[in-house]
Amino acid sequence: MVKKEIRVIGIDDSPFDKFNDKKILVVGVVMRGGSWVDGILSTRVVVDGDDSTKKIAEMINKCKFKPQLQCVFLDGIAVGGFNIIDVKELSKKTKLPVIVVIRRKPNIKNIKKTLIKINKKQKIKLIEKAGNVIQVDDIFVQLTGIDLEEAKKILKIVCTRSLIPEPIRLAHLIAQGVIFGESRGRA
Amino acid sequence: MVKKEIRVIGIDDSPFDKFNDKKILVVGVVMRGGSWVDGILSTRVVVDGDDSTKKIAEMINKCKFKPQLQCVFLDGIAVGGFNIIDVKELSKKTKLPVIVVIRRKPNIKNIKKTLIKINKKQKIKLIEKAGNVIQVDDIFVQLTGIDLEEAKKILKIVCTRSLIPEPIRLAHLIAQGVIFGESRGRA
């Protein structure tokens, strides 16, 4: 049984100007179930850098809600361009299951090609480590530290207002709103 | 009759370092009633400056939710220290009623003394313009462009999760979380 009030965190990054911004804002929204916002966290990561796993793990581990947190939601596995999150490592560091949510099935072939082109070939293994892409209703997920049945139960609770988990939708709106002055588009 | 889905905006400012920060972040949360977040807005105002009324009015007027907005909630009448909002002017510029929410009855005498001390005597009239401080349940409000009966109806809808309107609570959490890395305390 998954409790209606299960405490989860959803994470998304802000838009950025790849020619001028060195660091970007990453926002975490801690919610109880899919409706009550308990707190807002943030950190900054280097555009196209390698610090996302460490920075996001620190943000989660030092927050006051950590003892109650039961699941991490990521909006894809990269923040700030190609600052790819090592999902297995993030799960290990936080001792929490991680559910990566993807809206459209990613073209892994193209992403790998780009990584080779920009000399980030070593990041390909991080993509592979994130696990199989599984369709759940109208979205896709990659699961670490949690099985599909359990993940589906949690998704049912947190996807209150749209296809994607509410903490990810809010993290997206906040990251956009704070940087652009107004939130737009979808997570 | 006030609709359950009435669209409102709640505004709060971020914490700042009065010795180092020249500008501070002001966050606006657009909600339908007291539960569904429609969008996040932001602007920046000068610490102890005079641009809050103009900046906040612009933030509201240019947002895509403007045609649906029916009420503005402010957390007190000052942002960024003594950047005091001209509430009457804000209401006029946005063509919206403004409800200022105050948690504890302010000591107007002390505030006036401070304004005289820091040579901002001209701001005293802005405080006076914000109107009478009225107790509603456990909070205090100042009303512009709306009568007490109507304000009470809207407050009943938007104070879903605490004594204060949910869009103000969220604006506070976001402004704190984005600046400090973690939200703390109460709006």
Side-chain angles (χ1 to χ4, degrees):
Chain A
M1 255 296 282
V2 179
K3 276 205 285 186
K4 274 268 169 225
E5 298 275 287
I6 181 175
R7 206 168 276 175
V8 301
I9 180 167
I11 292 164
D12 202 3
D13 61 343
S14 65
F16 63 97
D17 172 349
K18 67 176 174 176
F19 300 109
N20 289 306
D21 296 343
K22 293 215 170 72
K23 285 193 166 196
I24 58 126
L25 177 71
V26 173
V27 173
V29 175
V30 177
M31 294 187 81
R32 255 179 281 165
S35 48
W36 174 236
V37 176
D38 267 339
I40 308 292
L41 313 177
S42 69
T43 187
R44 263 113 185 137
V45 304
V46 175
V47 170
D48 290 340
D50 307 296
D51 59 349
S52 60
T53 312
K54 184 172 168 281
K55 287 298 195 62
I56 292 171
E58 279 173 6
M59 174 180 85
I60 294 170
N61 284 335
K62 74 175 194 200
C63 92
K64 66 181 171 197
F65 308 104
K66 180 66 191 359
Q68 287 84 43
L69 277 181
Q70 294 195 54
C71 185
V72 178
F73 284 99
L74 296 179
D75 185 29
I77 63 162
V79 287
F82 283 100
N83 199 331
I84 296 173
I85 301 162
D86 182 334
V87 180
K88 295 273 173 299
E89 185 67 17
L90 180 65
S91 176
K92 205 174 123 191
K93 278 185 191 234
T94 58
K95 298 183 182 66
L96 289 170
V98 177
I99 301 178
V100 179
V101 175
I102 312 161
R103 200 174 263 280
R104 276 169 305 228
K105 190 145 185 167
N107 188 330
I108 302 283
K109 235 190 207 166
N110 271 355
I111 294 171
K112 286 182 181 174
K113 256 193 221 162
T114 306
L115 284 173
I116 291 167
K117 214 168 99 186
I118 65 169
N119 249 329
K120 301 265 184 192
K121 202 177 160 184
Q122 74 284 6
K123 296 206 176 189
I124 290 175
K125 67 175 186 299
L126 296 183
I127 295 178
E128 284 159 355
K129 270 173 94 173
N132 294 329
V133 176
I134 306 161
Q135 182 157 11
V136 176
D137 298 325
D138 289 318
I139 57 170
F140 298 91
V141 296
Q142 289 169 291
L143 307 177
T144 299
I146 187 168
D147 63 30
L148 182 57
E149 205 188 331
E150 190 77 1
K152 278 182 177 172
K153 283 182 196 159
I154 300 179
L155 283 165
K156 198 163 270 178
I157 292 169
V158 299
C159 296
T160 24
R161 305 284 189 163
S162 66
L163 295 172
I164 60 162
E166 186 65 3
I168 287 188
R169 191 185 73 89
L170 286 179
H172 176 80
L173 289 180
I174 293 166
Q176 293 250 332
V178 166
I179 300 302
F180 275 152
E182 178 163 357
S183 47
R184 21 180 155 158
R186 306 188 304 176
Chain B
M1 257 293 284
V2 178
K3 276 205 285 184
K4 273 270 170 225
E5 298 274 288
I6 180 175
R7 205 168 276 173
V8 301
I9 181 168
I11 292 164
D12 202 1
D13 62 342
S14 66
F16 63 96
D17 173 349
K18 69 176 173 176
F19 299 109
N20 288 308
D21 297 343
K22 293 214 171 73
K23 285 194 166 195
I24 60 127
L25 177 71
V26 173
V27 173
V29 175
V30 177
M31 294 186 82
R32 254 178 283 167
S35 49
W36 173 238
V37 176
D38 266 339
I40 308 291
L41 313 177
S42 69
T43 188
R44 265 117 185 135
V45 304
V46 175
V47 170
D48 290 340
D50 306 297
D51 59 348
S52 59
T53 311
K54 185 173 167 279
K55 288 297 194 67
I56 292 171
E58 278 171 6
M59 175 179 85
I60 295 171
N61 284 336
K62 76 176 189 196
C63 92
K64 66 181 169 196
F65 308 103
K66 180 66 193 354
Q68 287 83 42
L69 277 180
Q70 294 195 53
C71 184
V72 177
F73 285 99
L74 297 179
D75 185 29
I77 63 163
V79 287
F82 283 100
N83 200 331
I84 297 173
I85 301 161
D86 183 333
V87 180
K88 295 274 175 296
E89 185 68 16
L90 180 64
S91 175
K92 204 174 124 191
K93 278 184 191 242
T94 59
K95 298 184 183 68
L96 289 171
V98 177
I99 301 179
V100 178
V101 174
I102 311 161
R103 199 175 265 284
R104 278 169 305 228
K105 191 144 185 168
N107 189 328
I108 302 283
K109 236 189 208 165
N110 271 354
I111 295 171
K112 285 182 181 173
K113 256 194 220 160
T114 307
L115 284 173
I116 291 167
K117 215 167 99 186
I118 64 168
N119 250 329
K120 302 266 184 189
K121 200 176 160 185
Q122 75 284 7
K123 296 204 175 192
I124 290 175
K125 68 173 185 301
L126 296 184
I127 295 179
E128 285 160 354
K129 268 173 95 174
N132 295 330
V133 176
I134 306 161
Q135 182 158 11
V136 177
D137 298 324
D138 288 318
I139 57 170
F140 298 90
V141 295
Q142 288 170 292
L143 307 177
T144 299
I146 188 168
D147 63 32
L148 182 57
E149 206 188 329
E150 190 76 0
K152 277 182 177 172
K153 283 182 198 158
I154 299 179
L155 283 166
K156 196 163 272 177
I157 292 170
V158 299
C159 297
T160 22
R161 306 283 189 164
S162 67
L163 294 172
I164 60 161
E166 186 64 3
I168 286 187
R169 191 186 73 88
L170 286 179
H172 177 78
L173 289 180
I174 293 166
Q176 293 250 332
V178 166
I179 299 302
F180 276 152
E182 178 164 356
S183 48
R184 18 180 156 160
R186 306 189 303 175

